[in-house]
Amino acid sequence: EFYPIDTAPKDGSLILLLSVEQETEDEAGRVVKLPPRMALGKWWTEGDSWVDHHGFGDNNSERYHLEVTGVWESGFGWFEPGEVTHWAPVPPLPKAT
């Protein structure tokens, strides 16, 4: 079961992170939807990310500032603010027999 990301532990514990669906463009300029990503990750308090102080929510880089805000990081790098929506505890490993 997944829970809202604002309830996730930020103490460095490893958890499962679930991102939003992403959009990108292919070589022909067509919009391609990518499924949500799930990754093993943790909260990194020293991570920096782009922050939109003005609430514009667009891609105009002049409106964003790089700040140390903390980020959800994983083996694939880190997620941008608002990209991770849910989390789940890591299930226990199976016992050796």
Side-chain angles (χ1 to χ4, degrees):
E1 181 174 357
F2 281 85
Y3 304 96
I5 195 62
D6 58 351
T7 65
K10 291 187 173 181
D11 60 1
S13 302
L14 286 177
I15 58 176
L16 293 174
L17 301 169
L18 183 65
S19 75
V20 295
E21 181 180 75
Q22 297 290 311
E23 289 185 356
T24 189
E25 288 186 5
D26 64 12
E27 289 122 16
R30 295 177 298 233
V31 174
V32 177
K33 292 188 182 250
L34 303 174
R37 289 188 301 153
M38 187 169 58
L40 185 64
K42 65 180 181 171
W43 181 252
W44 181 35
T45 58
E46 297 176 21
D48 54 7
S49 59
W50 293 98
V51 176
D52 176 7
H53 288 286
H54 307 289
F56 294 116
D58 61 20
N59 292 327
N60 185 336
S61 62
E62 295 175 7
R63 297 178 179 164
Y64 289 81
H65 304 279
L66 189 62
E67 293 186 0
V68 175
T69 58
V71 293
W72 292 106
E73 72 167 345
S74 73
F76 301 108
W78 63 89
F79 293 93
E80 292 298 324
E83 189 176 357
V84 175
T85 60
H86 291 81
W87 75 280
V90 176
L93 295 174
K95 295 182 180 182
T97 57

Coordinates of all heavy atoms in Angstrom, one line a residue:
E1 N 0.8 -1.2 0.0 CA 0.0 0.0 0.0 C 0.9 1.3 0.0 O 1.9 1.3 0.7 CB -0.9 0.0 1.2 CG -1.8 1.2 1.3 CD -2.8 1.0 2.5 OE1 -2.8 0.0 3.2 OE2 -3.5 2.0 2.6
F2 N 0.5 2.2 -0.8 CA 1.3 3.5 -0.9 C 0.6 4.6 -0.2 O -0.7 4.6 -0.1 CB 1.5 3.9 -2.4 CG 2.6 3.1 -3.1 CD1 2.3 1.9 -3.7 CD2 3.8 3.7 -3.1 CE1 3.3 1.2 -4.3 CE2 4.9 3.0 -3.8 CZ 4.6 1.7 -4.3
Y3 N 1.4 5.5 0.4 CA 0.9 6.6 1.2 C 1.3 7.9 0.6 O 2.3 8.0 -0.2 CB 1.4 6.5 2.6 CG 1.1 5.2 3.2 CD1 2.1 4.2 3.2 CD2 -0.1 5.0 3.9 CE1 1.8 2.9 3.8 CE2 -0.4 3.7 4.4 CZ 0.6 2.7 4.4 OH 0.3 1.5 5.0
P4 N 0.6 9.0 0.8 CA 1.0 10.4 0.3 C 2.4 10.7 0.7 O 2.8 10.4 1.9 CB 0.0 11.3 0.9 CG -1.2 10.5 1.3 CD -0.7 9.1 1.6
I5 N 3.1 11.3 -0.2 CA 4.6 11.6 0.1 C 4.8 12.5 1.3 O 5.8 12.4 1.9 CB 5.2 12.1 -1.2 CG1 6.8 12.0 -1.1 CG2 4.8 13.5 -1.5 CD1 7.3 10.6 -0.9
D6 N 3.8 13.4 1.6 CA 4.0 14.3 2.7 C 4.0 13.5 4.1 O 4.4 14.1 5.1 CB 3.0 15.4 2.7 CG 1.6 15.0 2.8 OD1 1.3 13.8 2.6 OD2 0.7 15.8 3.0
T7 N 3.7 12.2 4.1 CA 3.8 11.4 5.3 C 5.0 10.6 5.4 O 5.2 9.8 6.3 CB 2.5 10.5 5.4 OG1 2.5 9.5 4.4 CG2 1.2 11.3 5.4
A8 N 5.9 10.6 4.4 CA 7.1 9.8 4.3 C 8.1 10.2 5.3 O 8.3 11.4 5.6 CB 7.7 9.9 2.9
P9 N 8.9 9.2 5.8 CA 10.0 9.5 6.8 C 11.1 10.3 6.0 O 11.4 10.0 4.9 CB 10.4 8.2 7.2 CG 10.0 7.2 6.2 CD 8.8 7.8 5.6
K10 N 11.7 11.3 6.7 CA 12.8 12.1 6.2 C 14.0 11.9 7.0 O 14.8 12.8 7.2 CB 12.4 13.5 6.0 CG 11.3 13.8 5.0 CD 11.1 15.2 4.7 CE 10.1 15.4 3.6 NZ 9.9 16.8 3.3
D11 N 14.2 10.7 7.5 CA 15.3 10.4 8.4 C 16.4 9.6 7.8 O 17.3 9.1 8.4 CB 14.8 9.7 9.7 CG 14.1 8.4 9.4 OD1 14.1 8.0 8.2 OD2 13.7 7.7 10.3
G12 N 16.3 9.5 6.4 CA 17.3 8.7 5.7 C 17.0 7.2 5.5 O 17.7 6.5 4.9
S13 N 15.8 6.8 6.0 CA 15.3 5.5 5.8 C 15.0 5.2 4.3 O 14.5 6.1 3.6 CB 14.0 5.2 6.5 OG 14.1 5.5 7.9
L14 N 15.4 4.0 3.9 CA 15.1 3.6 2.5 C 13.6 3.2 2.4 O 13.1 2.5 3.2 CB 15.9 2.4 2.1 CG 17.4 2.7 1.8 CD1 18.1 1.4 1.5 CD2 17.5 3.6 0.7
I15 N 12.9 3.8 1.4 CA 11.5 3.6 1.1 C 11.3 3.4 -0.4 O 12.2 3.7 -1.2 CB 10.7 4.7 1.7 CG1 11.1 6.1 1.0 CG2 10.7 4.8 3.2 CD1 10.2 7.2 1.4
L16 N 10.2 2.9 -0.8 CA 9.8 2.9 -2.2 C 9.1 4.2 -2.6 O 8.3 4.7 -1.9 CB 8.8 1.8 -2.5 CG 9.4 0.4 -2.3 CD1 8.2 -0.6 -2.5 CD2 10.5 0.1 -3.3
L17 N 9.6 4.9 -3.6 CA 9.1 6.1 -4.1 C 8.3 5.9 -5.4 O 8.8 5.2 -6.3 CB 10.2 7.1 -4.4 CG 11.1 7.4 -3.2 CD1 12.4 8.2 -3.6 CD2 10.4 8.2 -2.1
L18 N 7.2 6.6 -5.6 CA 6.4 6.5 -6.8 C 6.2 7.9 -7.4 O 5.8 8.8 -6.7 CB 5.0 5.9 -6.5 CG 4.1 5.7 -7.6 CD1 4.6 4.7 -8.6 CD2 2.7 5.3 -7.2
S19 N 6.6 8.1 -8.6 CA 6.6 9.4 -9.3 C 5.3 9.6 -10.1 O 4.5 8.6 -10.3 CB 7.8 9.6 -10.2 OG 7.6 8.8 -11.4
V20 N 5.1 10.8 -10.5 CA 4.0 11.1 -11.4 C 4.3 10.6 -12.8 O 5.5 10.3 -13.1 CB 3.7 12.6 -11.4 CG1 3.2 13.1 -10.1 CG2 4.9 13.4 -11.9
E21 N 3.3 10.5 -13.7 CA 3.5 10.2 -15.1 C 4.3 11.4 -15.7 O 4.1 12.6 -15.3 CB 2.2 10.1 -15.8 CG 2.2 9.8 -17.2 CD 0.8 9.7 -17.8 OE1 0.2 10.7 -18.0 OE2 0.4 8.5 -18.0
Q22 N 5.2 11.1 -16.5 CA 6.1 12.2 -17.2 C 5.7 12.3 -18.6 O 5.2 11.4 -19.3 CB 7.5 11.8 -17.0 CG 8.0 11.7 -15.6 CD 8.1 13.1 -15.0 OE1 8.6 14.0 -15.5 NE2 7.5 13.2 -13.8
E23 N 6.1 13.5 -19.2 CA 5.9 13.7 -20.6 C 7.3 14.1 -21.2 O 8.0 14.9 -20.5 CB 4.9 14.8 -20.9 CG 3.5 14.3 -20.7 CD 2.5 15.4 -21.1 OE1 2.9 16.5 -21.5 OE2 1.3 15.1 -21.0
T24 N 7.6 13.7 -22.4 CA 8.8 14.1 -23.1 C 8.5 14.2 -24.5 O 7.4 13.9 -24.9 CB 10.0 13.1 -22.8 OG1 11.2 13.7 -23.3 CG2 9.7 11.7 -23.3
E25 N 9.4 14.6 -25.3 CA 9.2 14.6 -26.8 C 10.2 13.6 -27.4 O 11.3 13.5 -27.0 CB 9.5 16.0 -27.3 CG 8.5 17.0 -26.9 CD 8.7 18.4 -27.6 OE1 9.6 18.5 -28.5 OE2 8.0 19.3 -27.3
D26 N 9.7 13.0 -28.5 CA 10.5 12.1 -29.3 C 11.3 12.9 -30.3 O 11.1 14.1 -30.4 CB 9.7 10.9 -29.9 CG 8.7 11.4 -30.9 OD1 8.7 12.5 -31.3 OD2 7.9 10.5 -31.3
E27 N 12.1 12.3 -31.2 CA 12.9 13.0 -32.2 C 12.0 13.8 -33.1 O 12.5 14.7 -33.7 CB 13.8 12.0 -32.9 CG 14.9 11.5 -32.0 CD 14.9 10.0 -31.9 OE1 14.2 9.3 -32.8 OE2 15.5 9.4 -31.0
A28 N 10.8 13.3 -33.3 CA 9.9 14.0 -34.3 C 9.1 15.2 -33.6 O 8.3 15.8 -34.3 CB 8.9 13.0 -34.9
G29 N 9.4 15.4 -32.3 CA 8.7 16.5 -31.6 C 7.3 16.1 -31.1 O 6.6 16.9 -30.6
R30 N 7.0 14.8 -31.1 CA 5.7 14.4 -30.6 C 5.8 14.1 -29.1 O 6.8 13.7 -28.6 CB 5.3 13.0 -31.3 CG 5.0 13.2 -32.8 CD 4.6 11.8 -33.3 NE 5.8 11.0 -33.2 CZ 6.3 10.3 -34.1 NH1 5.9 10.3 -35.4 NH2 7.4 9.5 -33.9
V31 N 4.7 14.4 -28.4 CA 4.7 14.2 -27.0 C 4.5 12.7 -26.7 O 3.6 12.1 -27.2 CB 3.6 15.0 -26.3 CG1 3.4 14.7 -24.8 CG2 3.8 16.5 -26.5
V32 N 5.4 12.2 -25.8 CA 5.4 10.8 -25.4 C 5.1 10.8 -23.9 O 5.8 11.5 -23.2 CB 6.7 10.1 -25.8 CG1 6.7 8.7 -25.3 CG2 6.9 10.2 -27.3
K33 N 4.1 10.0 -23.5 CA 3.9 9.9 -22.0 C 4.7 8.7 -21.5 O 4.7 7.6 -22.1 CB 2.4 9.7 -21.8 CG 1.6 10.9 -22.1 CD 0.2 10.7 -21.6 CE -0.6 12.0 -22.0 NZ -1.0 12.7 -20.9
L34 N 5.4 8.9 -20.4 CA 6.1 7.9 -19.7 C 5.4 7.5 -18.5 O 4.9 8.3 -17.8 CB 7.5 8.4 -19.4 CG 8.4 8.9 -20.5 CD1 9.7 9.6 -20.0 CD2 8.7 7.8 -21.5
P35 N 5.3 6.2 -18.2 CA 4.6 5.8 -17.0 C 5.3 6.3 -15.7 O 6.5 6.6 -15.7 CB 4.7 4.2 -17.1 CG 5.8 4.0 -17.9 CD 6.0 5.1 -18.9
P36 N 4.6 6.3 -14.6 CA 5.2 6.6 -13.3 C 6.4 5.7 -13.0 O 6.4 4.6 -13.5 CB 4.1 6.4 -12.3 CG 2.8 6.5 -13.1 CD 3.2 6.0 -14.5
R37 N 7.4 6.2 -12.4 CA 8.6 5.4 -12.0 C 8.4 5.0 -10.5 O 7.9 5.8 -9.7 CB 9.8 6.3 -12.1 CG 10.3 6.5 -13.5 CD 11.7 7.2 -13.5 NE 11.7 8.4 -12.8 CZ 12.8 8.9 -12.2 NH1 13.9 8.3 -12.3 NH2 12.8 10.0 -11.6
M38 N 8.9 3.8 -10.2 CA 9.0 3.4 -8.8 C 10.5 3.1 -8.6 O 11.1 2.5 -9.4 CB 8.2 2.2 -8.5 CG 8.1 1.9 -7.1 SD 6.9 0.6 -6.6 CE 7.4 -0.8 -7.6
A39 N 11.0 3.7 -7.5 CA 12.4 3.5 -7.2 C 12.6 3.4 -5.7 O 11.8 3.9 -4.9 CB 13.2 4.6 -7.7
L40 N 13.7 2.7 -5.3 CA 14.1 2.6 -3.9 C 14.9 3.9 -3.7 O 15.8 4.3 -4.4 CB 15.0 1.4 -3.7 CG 15.5 1.1 -2.3 CD1 14.3 0.8 -1.4 CD2 16.4 -0.1 -2.3
G41 N 14.5 4.6 -2.6 CA 15.2 5.9 -2.4 C 15.1 6.4 -0.9 O 14.5 5.7 -0.1
K42 N 15.5 7.6 -0.7 CA 15.5 8.2 0.6 C 15.5 9.7 0.5 O 15.9 10.3 -0.6 CB 16.7 7.7 1.5 CG 18.0 8.2 0.9 CD 19.1 7.7 1.8 CE 20.5 8.2 1.2 NZ 21.6 8.0 2.0
W43 N 15.2 10.4 1.6 CA 15.3 11.9 1.6 C 16.7 12.3 1.9 O 17.4 11.8 2.7 CB 14.4 12.4 2.7 CG 14.4 13.9 2.8 CD1 14.9 14.6 3.8 CD2 13.7 14.8 1.9 NE1 14.7 16.0 3.6 CE2 14.0 16.1 2.4 CE3 13.0 14.6 0.8 CZ2 13.5 17.2 1.8 CZ3 12.5 15.8 0.1 CH2 12.8 17.0 0.6
W44 N 17.2 13.2 1.0 CA 18.5 13.7 1.2 C 18.4 15.2 1.5 O 18.1 16.0 0.6 CB 19.3 13.5 -0.1 CG 20.7 14.0 -0.1 CD1 21.6 14.0 1.0 CD2 21.5 14.5 -1.2 NE1 22.8 14.5 0.6 CE2 22.8 14.8 -0.7 CE3 21.1 14.8 -2.5 CZ2 23.7 15.4 -1.5 CZ3 22.1 15.3 -3.3 CH2 23.4 15.6 -2.8
T45 N 18.7 15.6 2.7 CA 18.5 17.0 3.2 C 19.4 18.0 2.5 O 19.0 19.2 2.4 CB 18.7 17.1 4.7 OG1 20.0 16.7 5.0 CG2 17.7 16.3 5.5
E46 N 20.5 17.6 2.0 CA 21.5 18.5 1.3 C 21.3 18.6 -0.2 O 22.0 19.3 -0.8 CB 22.9 18.1 1.7 CG 23.2 18.1 3.1 CD 24.6 17.6 3.5 OE1 25.4 17.6 2.6 OE2 24.8 17.3 4.6
G47 N 20.3 17.9 -0.7 CA 20.1 17.9 -2.1 C 19.5 19.3 -2.6 O 18.8 19.9 -1.9
D48 N 19.9 19.7 -3.8 CA 19.4 21.0 -4.3 C 18.5 20.7 -5.5 O 18.6 19.7 -6.2 CB 20.5 21.9 -4.7 CG 21.5 21.3 -5.6 OD1 21.3 20.2 -6.1 OD2 22.6 22.0 -5.9
S49 N 17.6 21.6 -5.7 CA 16.6 21.4 -6.8 C 16.1 22.8 -7.2 O 16.3 23.8 -6.5 CB 15.4 20.5 -6.3 OG 14.8 21.1 -5.2
W50 N 15.5 22.8 -8.3 CA 14.9 24.1 -8.9 C 13.6 24.4 -8.1 O 12.7 23.5 -8.1 CB 14.7 24.0 -10.4 CG 16.0 23.9 -11.1 CD1 16.6 22.7 -11.5 CD2 16.9 24.9 -11.4 NE1 17.8 23.0 -12.1 CE2 18.0 24.4 -12.1 CE3 16.9 26.3 -11.2 CZ2 19.1 25.1 -12.5 CZ3 17.9 27.1 -11.7 CH2 19.0 26.5 -12.3
V51 N 13.5 25.6 -7.6 CA 12.3 26.0 -6.9 C 11.6 27.2 -7.6 O 12.3 28.1 -7.9 CB 12.7 26.4 -5.4 CG1 11.5 26.9 -4.7 CG2 13.4 25.2 -4.7
D52 N 10.3 27.0 -7.7 CA 9.5 28.1 -8.3 C 8.9 28.9 -7.2 O 7.9 28.6 -6.6 CB 8.4 27.4 -9.2 CG 7.5 28.4 -9.8 OD1 7.7 29.6 -9.7 OD2 6.5 28.0 -10.4
H53 N 9.5 30.1 -6.9 CA 9.1 30.9 -5.8 C 7.8 31.7 -6.2 O 7.1 32.2 -5.3 CB 10.1 31.9 -5.4 CG 11.3 31.3 -4.7 ND1 11.2 30.9 -3.4 CD2 12.5 31.0 -5.1 CE1 12.3 30.4 -3.0 NE2 13.2 30.5 -4.0
H54 N 7.5 31.8 -7.5 CA 6.4 32.7 -7.9 C 5.1 31.9 -8.2 O 4.1 32.5 -8.5 CB 6.9 33.5 -9.1 CG 8.1 34.3 -8.8 ND1 8.2 35.3 -7.9 CD2 9.4 34.0 -9.2 CE1 9.4 35.7 -7.9 NE2 10.2 35.0 -8.7
G55 N 5.2 30.6 -8.2 CA 4.0 29.7 -8.5 C 3.6 29.7 -9.9 O 2.4 29.5 -10.2
F56 N 4.5 30.0 -10.9 CA 4.1 30.1 -12.3 C 3.9 28.7 -12.8 O 3.1 28.5 -13.7 CB 5.1 30.8 -13.1 CG 5.2 32.3 -12.8 CD1 6.3 32.8 -12.2 CD2 4.1 33.1 -13.0 CE1 6.4 34.1 -11.9 CE2 4.2 34.4 -12.7 CZ 5.3 35.0 -12.1
G57 N 4.7 27.7 -12.4 CA 4.5 26.3 -12.8 C 4.8 26.1 -14.3 O 4.4 25.1 -14.8
D58 N 5.6 26.9 -14.9 CA 5.9 26.7 -16.3 C 7.4 26.4 -16.4 O 8.1 26.3 -15.4 CB 5.5 27.8 -17.2 CG 6.2 29.2 -16.9 OD1 7.2 29.1 -16.2 OD2 5.7 30.2 -17.3
N59 N 7.9 26.3 -17.6 CA 9.3 25.9 -17.8 C 10.3 27.1 -18.0 O 11.4 27.0 -18.5 CB 9.5 24.9 -19.0 CG 8.9 23.6 -18.6 OD1 8.9 23.2 -17.5 ND2 8.3 23.0 -19.6
N60 N 9.8 28.3 -17.7 CA 10.7 29.5 -17.9 C 11.7 29.5 -16.8 O 11.5 29.8 -15.7 CB 9.8 30.8 -17.8 CG 10.6 32.0 -18.1 OD1 11.8 32.0 -18.0 ND2 9.9 33.0 -18.5
S61 N 13.0 29.2 -17.2 CA 14.1 29.0 -16.3 C 14.4 30.3 -15.5 O 15.0 30.3 -14.5 CB 15.3 28.5 -17.0 OG 15.8 29.5 -18.0
E62 N 14.0 31.5 -16.0 CA 14.3 32.7 -15.3 C 13.4 32.8 -14.0 O 13.7 33.6 -13.2 CB 14.0 33.9 -16.2 CG 14.9 34.0 -17.4 CD 14.5 35.1 -18.3 OE1 13.6 35.9 -18.0 OE2 15.1 35.2 -19.4
R63 N 12.4 32.0 -13.9 CA 11.5 32.1 -12.7 C 11.9 31.1 -11.7 O 11.3 31.1 -10.6 CB 10.1 31.9 -13.2 CG 9.6 33.0 -14.1 CD 8.2 32.7 -14.6 NE 7.8 33.8 -15.5 CZ 6.8 33.7 -16.3 NH1 6.0 32.6 -16.3 NH2 6.5 34.7 -17.0
Y64 N 12.9 30.3 -11.9 CA 13.3 29.2 -11.0 C 14.7 29.5 -10.4 O 15.5 30.1 -11.1 CB 13.3 27.9 -11.7 CG 11.9 27.3 -12.0 CD1 11.3 27.8 -13.1 CD2 11.3 26.4 -11.2 CE1 10.0 27.3 -13.4 CE2 10.1 25.9 -11.5 CZ 9.4 26.4 -12.6 OH 8.2 25.9 -12.9
H65 N 14.9 29.1 -9.2 CA 16.2 29.3 -8.5 C 16.6 28.0 -8.0 O 15.9 27.2 -7.4 CB 16.0 30.3 -7.4 CG 15.5 31.6 -7.9 ND1 16.2 32.6 -8.5 CD2 14.2 32.1 -7.8 CE1 15.5 33.6 -8.8 NE2 14.2 33.3 -8.4
L66 N 17.9 27.7 -8.1 CA 18.5 26.5 -7.6 C 18.8 26.7 -6.1 O 19.5 27.6 -5.7 CB 19.8 26.1 -8.3 CG 20.4 24.7 -8.0 CD1 19.4 23.6 -8.4 CD2 21.7 24.6 -8.8
E67 N 18.2 25.9 -5.3 CA 18.4 26.0 -3.8 C 18.6 24.7 -3.2 O 18.2 23.7 -3.7 CB 17.1 26.7 -3.2 CG 16.9 28.1 -3.6 CD 15.8 28.7 -2.9 OE1 15.2 28.0 -2.0 OE2 15.5 29.9 -3.2
V68 N 19.2 24.7 -2.0 CA 19.3 23.5 -1.2 C 18.0 23.4 -0.4 O 17.6 24.2 0.4 CB 20.5 23.6 -0.2 CG1 20.5 22.4 0.8 CG2 21.8 23.7 -0.9
T69 N 17.2 22.4 -0.9 CA 15.8 22.3 -0.3 C 15.6 20.9 0.2 O 14.6 20.6 0.9 CB 14.8 22.5 -1.4 OG1 15.0 21.6 -2.5 CG2 14.8 24.0 -1.9
G70 N 16.5 19.9 -0.1 CA 16.2 18.5 0.1 C 15.5 17.9 -1.0 O 14.7 18.6 -1.7
V71 N 15.9 16.7 -1.4 CA 15.3 16.0 -2.5 C 15.1 14.5 -2.2 O 15.8 14.0 -1.3 CB 16.2 16.1 -3.8 CG1 16.2 17.6 -4.3 CG2 17.6 15.6 -3.6
W72 N 14.2 13.9 -2.9 CA 14.1 12.4 -2.8 C 15.1 11.9 -3.8 O 15.1 12.1 -5.0 CB 12.7 12.0 -3.2 CG 11.7 12.4 -2.2 CD1 10.8 13.4 -2.3 CD2 11.5 11.8 -0.9 NE1 10.0 13.5 -1.1 CE2 10.5 12.6 -0.2 CE3 12.2 10.8 -0.2 CZ2 10.1 12.3 1.0 CZ3 11.8 10.6 1.1 CH2 10.7 11.3 1.7
E73 N 16.1 11.1 -3.3 CA 17.1 10.6 -4.2 C 17.0 9.1 -4.3 O 16.5 8.4 -3.4 CB 18.5 10.9 -3.7 CG 19.0 10.2 -2.4 CD 20.5 10.4 -2.2 OE1 21.2 10.8 -3.1 OE2 20.9 10.1 -1.0
S74 N 17.5 8.5 -5.4 CA 17.4 7.1 -5.6 C 18.7 6.7 -6.4 O 19.5 7.5 -6.7 CB 16.2 6.7 -6.4 OG 16.3 7.1 -7.7
G75 N 18.8 5.4 -6.7 CA 19.9 5.0 -7.5 C 19.9 5.5 -8.9 O 20.9 5.5 -9.6
F76 N 18.8 6.1 -9.3 CA 18.7 6.7 -10.7 C 19.0 8.2 -10.6 O 18.8 8.9 -11.6 CB 17.3 6.5 -11.2 CG 17.0 5.1 -11.4 CD1 16.0 4.5 -10.5 CD2 17.6 4.3 -12.3 CE1 15.7 3.1 -10.6 CE2 17.3 2.9 -12.4 CZ 16.3 2.4 -11.6
G77 N 19.4 8.8 -9.5 CA 19.6 10.2 -9.3 C 18.6 10.7 -8.3 O 18.4 10.1 -7.3
W78 N 18.0 11.8 -8.6 CA 17.0 12.4 -7.7 C 15.7 12.8 -8.5 O 15.7 13.0 -9.7 CB 17.5 13.6 -6.9 CG 17.9 14.7 -7.8 CD1 17.1 15.8 -8.1 CD2 19.2 15.0 -8.4 NE1 17.8 16.6 -9.0 CE2 19.1 16.2 -9.1 CE3 20.4 14.3 -8.4 CZ2 20.2 16.7 -9.8 CZ3 21.4 14.8 -9.1 CH2 21.3 16.0 -9.8
F79 N 14.7 13.0 -7.7 CA 13.4 13.5 -8.3 C 13.3 15.0 -8.1 O 13.7 15.5 -7.1 CB 12.2 12.8 -7.6 CG 12.2 11.3 -7.9 CD1 12.8 10.4 -7.0 CD2 11.5 10.8 -9.0 CE1 12.7 9.0 -7.3 CE2 11.4 9.4 -9.2 CZ 12.0 8.5 -8.4
E80 N 12.7 15.6 -9.0 CA 12.4 17.1 -8.8 C 11.2 17.3 -7.9 O 10.4 16.4 -7.6 CB 12.0 17.7 -10.2 CG 13.2 17.7 -11.2 CD 14.4 18.6 -10.7 OE1 14.2 19.6 -10.0 OE2 15.5 18.2 -10.9
P81 N 11.1 18.5 -7.3 CA 10.0 18.8 -6.4 C 8.7 18.5 -7.1 O 8.5 18.9 -8.2 CB 10.2 20.3 -6.0 CG 11.6 20.5 -6.3 CD 12.0 19.6 -7.4
G82 N 7.8 17.9 -6.4 CA 6.5 17.6 -6.9 C 6.4 16.3 -7.8 O 5.4 15.9 -8.2
E83 N 7.6 15.8 -8.1 CA 7.6 14.6 -9.0 C 7.2 13.3 -8.2 O 6.6 12.4 -8.8 CB 9.0 14.4 -9.6 CG 9.1 13.4 -10.7 CD 10.4 13.3 -11.3 OE1 11.3 14.1 -11.0 OE2 10.6 12.4 -12.2
V84 N 7.6 13.2 -7.0 CA 7.2 12.0 -6.2 C 5.9 12.3 -5.5 O 5.8 13.3 -4.8 CB 8.3 11.7 -5.1 CG1 7.9 10.6 -4.2 CG2 9.6 11.4 -5.8
T85 N 4.9 11.4 -5.6 CA 3.6 11.7 -5.1 C 3.3 10.7 -3.9 O 2.5 11.0 -3.0 CB 2.5 11.5 -6.1 OG1 2.6 10.2 -6.6 CG2 2.7 12.5 -7.2
H86 N 3.9 9.5 -3.9 CA 3.5 8.5 -2.9 C 4.8 7.7 -2.5 O 5.8 7.7 -3.2 CB 2.5 7.5 -3.5 CG 1.2 8.2 -3.7 ND1 0.9 9.0 -4.8 CD2 0.1 8.2 -2.9 CE1 -0.4 9.4 -4.6 NE2 -0.9 8.9 -3.5
W87 N 4.7 7.0 -1.4 CA 5.7 6.2 -0.9 C 5.2 5.0 -0.2 O 4.0 4.9 0.1 CB 6.6 7.0 0.1 CG 5.9 7.1 1.5 CD1 4.9 8.1 1.8 CD2 6.1 6.4 2.6 NE1 4.5 7.9 3.1 CE2 5.2 6.8 3.6 CE3 6.9 5.3 2.9 CZ2 5.2 6.3 4.9 CZ3 6.9 4.7 4.2 CH2 6.0 5.3 5.2
A88 N 6.0 4.0 0.0 CA 5.6 2.7 0.7 C 6.9 2.2 1.4 O 8.0 2.4 1.0 CB 5.1 1.7 -0.3
P89 N 6.6 1.5 2.6 CA 7.8 0.9 3.2 C 8.4 -0.2 2.4 O 7.7 -0.8 1.5 CB 7.2 0.3 4.5 CG 5.8 0.8 4.6 CD 5.4 1.3 3.3
V90 N 9.7 -0.4 2.5 CA 10.3 -1.5 1.8 C 9.8 -2.8 2.4 O 9.9 -2.9 3.7 CB 11.9 -1.3 1.9 CG1 12.5 -2.5 1.2 CG2 12.3 0.0 1.3
P91 N 9.4 -3.7 1.6 CA 8.9 -5.0 2.2 C 10.1 -5.8 2.8 O 11.2 -5.6 2.3 CB 8.3 -5.7 1.1 CG 8.7 -5.0 -0.2 CD 9.2 -3.7 0.2
P92 N 9.8 -6.6 3.8 CA 11.0 -7.4 4.4 C 11.5 -8.3 3.4 O 10.8 -8.9 2.5 CB 10.3 -8.1 5.6 CG 8.9 -8.0 5.3 CD 8.6 -6.9 4.4
L93 N 12.8 -8.6 3.5 CA 13.5 -9.5 2.6 C 13.1 -11.0 3.0 O 12.8 -11.2 4.1 CB 15.0 -9.4 2.7 CG 15.5 -8.1 2.2 CD1 17.0 -8.0 2.4 CD2 15.3 -7.9 0.7
P94 N 13.0 -11.9 2.0 CA 12.7 -13.2 2.4 C 13.8 -13.8 3.2 O 15.0 -13.5 3.1 CB 12.6 -14.0 1.0 CG 13.1 -13.0 0.0 CD 13.2 -11.7 0.6
K95 N 13.4 -14.7 4.1 CA 14.4 -15.4 5.0 C 15.1 -16.5 4.2 O 14.4 -17.2 3.5 CB 13.7 -15.9 6.2 CG 13.2 -14.8 7.1 CD 12.5 -15.4 8.3 CE 12.0 -14.2 9.2 NZ 11.4 -14.6 10.4
A96 N 16.4 -16.7 4.5 CA 17.1 -17.8 3.8 C 16.7 -19.1 4.5 O 16.4 -19.2 5.7 CB 18.6 -17.5 4.0
T97 N 16.6 -20.1 3.6 CA 16.2 -21.4 4.2 C 17.4 -22.4 4.2 O 18.4 -22.2 3.5 CB 15.1 -22.0 3.3 OG1 15.5 -22.1 2.0 CG2 13.9 -21.2 3.5

